Amino acid sequence: MTTIKNAASSILVTCSLCLVAVLLITLCYQATEERIADNGLRKEEALRLALLPDADGFTLAEDLEEPVQGVLSVYTADNKTGWVVTARAKGYQGWVTVMTGIDKNGRITNVRVTDVSEESAGIGTKLTSGSITNTGTLVISSLMAGTVNEYVDA
């Protein structure tokens, strides 16, 4: 009988501790949720400014005539110097998200791989390194110009 009481007591204490832990985690999440969202928005804005350095701020373009497959968002520079497009495409095993700065003449100013969390381990993480990103920018620029150069692995 004492074994059953000890087991029940242990279960009750364990469940109580789990309940308190869940409550504390929920309170922490609620206390920091807004700050985390604000930090994310500031980080995205800073990245857009890095991709289109001549811009002075951005507004989400909500009046696109027709949606383009894979395009998640388009931001227009407030001073009309260009756009930043966020797009997503299927990689080898998962999705790859990129942000691209485009100036008012239609030239790509910069490309940044922003999310490879669903892509293959090893391959996806290499996309975010400086040399691969720079190579990717050259590849995209070359493809836009209608040429293929030594950076393309065919």
Side-chain angles (χ1 to χ4, degrees), residues 10-99:
S10 294
I11 291 172
L12 185 61
V13 168
T14 303
C15 289
S16 297
L17 289 174
C18 288
L19 185 60
V20 168
V22 167
L23 180 63
L24 290 174
I25 291 170
T26 301
L27 290 173
C28 286
Y29 174 76
Q30 289 176 346
T32 59
E33 180 180 21
E34 189 174 325
R35 180 178 288 184
I36 291 170
D38 288 344
N39 286 341
L41 292 174
R42 278 197 291 278
K43 184 177 177 181
E44 287 178 16
E45 184 73 6
L47 180 54
R48 283 190 285 273
L49 287 168
L51 292 170
L52 194 64
D54 293 337
D56 59 356
F58 294 92
T59 302
L60 179 63
E62 297 180 15
D63 58 344
L64 299 176
E65 292 180 17
E66 63 181 69
V68 177
Q69 183 178 359
V71 174
L72 302 177
S73 66
V74 177
Y75 281 83
T76 303
D78 293 339
N79 61 357
K80 309 296 184 214
T81 56
W83 305 267
V84 174
V85 178
T86 303
R88 183 176 175 191
K90 188 81 167 134
Y92 181 69
Q93 289 186 340
W95 292 96
V96 177
T97 304
V98 297
M99 290 177 80

